[in-house]
Amino acid sequence: MAGASKPVDVSTKRQRIAELARQSPEMGFTSLAYFIDIDWLLEAYRLTRKDGAVGVDGQDGEAYAANLTGNLQSLLDRAKSGTYQAPPVRRVHIPKAGSATETRPLGIPTFEDKVLQRAVVLVLEAVYEQDFKPCAFGFRPGRSAHQALEALWKQSMDMSGGWVVEVDIRKFFDTIDHGHLREFLGRRVCDGVLLRLIGKWLNAGVLEDGCLTRPEQEGRRKAG
């Protein structure tokens, strides 16, 4: 079409978000969902593992790809309109590293949920990467545990020794206070679409051995 503007690719959009976040470190963003379009979801789909374990609906990446354009357009419409329903997470238990008896729970979302979560992560990364200190390595793109060890070794050598203390919060993701999490998130993310989606994921519940539990039910069960 003559005069039509050329679509802006996902990397350019992410750079724009990052630049705004860098320029305004105290600003809460109100229009982040605006950047999520069908191309954004296609990129999220590309980055989502296709052969991973299936969620509660039993659908894998191959089945989802059979009608990829239609599925992603439906997903986009539901996410933007607020009609998207976050399915419960299927929970399995896997052996815990370093222990012969303990296991740790692993949550497996549906494939479509993984795609939408990846799309939201692409937005949040662009914002929060500007806020992290250089010494932070966990769950950041392009950073690894090996790089963290190298940075720790270099700093120890520069200091000619010192103490290295390792701290691990037991079952952190099982016990994190959702109220505090929402409060922290709200300092930078004020977009209603994203906050609504994240809220749905927090309250989606867990399906284990045919039994569905919600976060508040899990809290009462553990307290008891």
Side-chain angles (χ1 to χ4, degrees):
M1 178 184 296
S5 59
K6 182 180 179 181
V8 180
D9 64 45
V10 174
S11 61
T12 301
K13 289 180 180 179
R14 279 166 50 85
Q15 291 171 8
R16 185 181 302 172
I17 296 171
E19 183 60 30
L20 289 171
R22 192 161 40 246
Q23 293 174 354
S24 305
E26 303 297 326
M27 184 176 74
F29 289 84
T30 59
S31 303
L32 290 171
Y34 164 80
F35 293 95
I36 301 178
D37 55 15
I38 194 68
D39 290 329
W40 194 283
L41 286 185
L42 279 168
E43 176 65 6
Y45 168 81
R46 186 186 69 81
L47 294 172
T48 301
R49 181 176 173 179
K50 312 300 187 298
D51 60 348
V54 299
V56 296
D57 63 353
Q59 186 181 51
D60 59 16
E62 182 179 356
Y64 195 81
N67 182 27
L68 182 59
T69 301
N71 285 334
L72 291 182
Q73 186 61 58
S74 172
L75 178 60
L76 179 64
D77 294 341
R78 284 177 283 138
K80 291 289 187 77
S81 67
T83 59
Y84 180 77
Q85 298 297 319
V89 173
R90 183 170 72 89
R91 175 180 285 172
V92 297
H93 292 264
I94 62 175
K96 187 174 183 179
S99 173
T101 58
E102 284 190 283
T103 62
R104 68 180 183 90
L106 180 67
I108 305 174
T110 65
F111 183 80
E112 181 174 71
D113 214 35
K114 292 176 184 177
V115 173
L116 187 55
Q117 288 182 21
R118 174 60 61 184
V120 172
V121 165
L122 288 173
V123 177
L124 298 182
E125 279 181 351
V127 174
Y128 285 106
E129 271 297 301
Q130 319 314 312
D131 297 345
F132 283 123
K133 301 294 184 183
C135 59
F137 285 86
F139 300 99
R140 293 181 64 186
R143 294 189 171 226
S144 68
H146 291 293
Q147 291 174 324
L149 288 172
E150 183 179 358
L152 182 61
W153 174 84
K154 184 177 185 305
Q155 186 172 2
S156 298
M157 294 299 99
D158 291 343
M159 295 173 59
S160 300
W163 289 92
V164 177
V165 180
E166 180 183 9
V167 178
D168 182 24
I169 302 177
R170 183 175 176 83
K171 296 184 177 180
F172 173 76
F173 291 108
D174 292 338
T175 58
I176 187 171
D177 186 291
H178 288 181
H180 291 164
L181 180 61
R182 291 173 186 270
E183 180 184 355
F184 180 83
L185 181 66
R187 297 177 184 178
R188 286 295 254 165
V189 180
C190 303
D191 184 288
V193 173
L194 296 191
L195 291 177
R196 184 168 56 234
L197 283 173
I198 293 170
K200 289 180 178 182
W201 285 322
L202 289 175
N203 294 308
V206 172
L207 186 66
E208 183 176 6
D209 296 329
C211 181
L212 177 65
T213 56
R214 303 288 181 183
E216 63 274 10
Q217 295 171 330
E218 287 238 321
R220 288 196 296 267
R221 179 168 59 83
K222 289 175 182 178

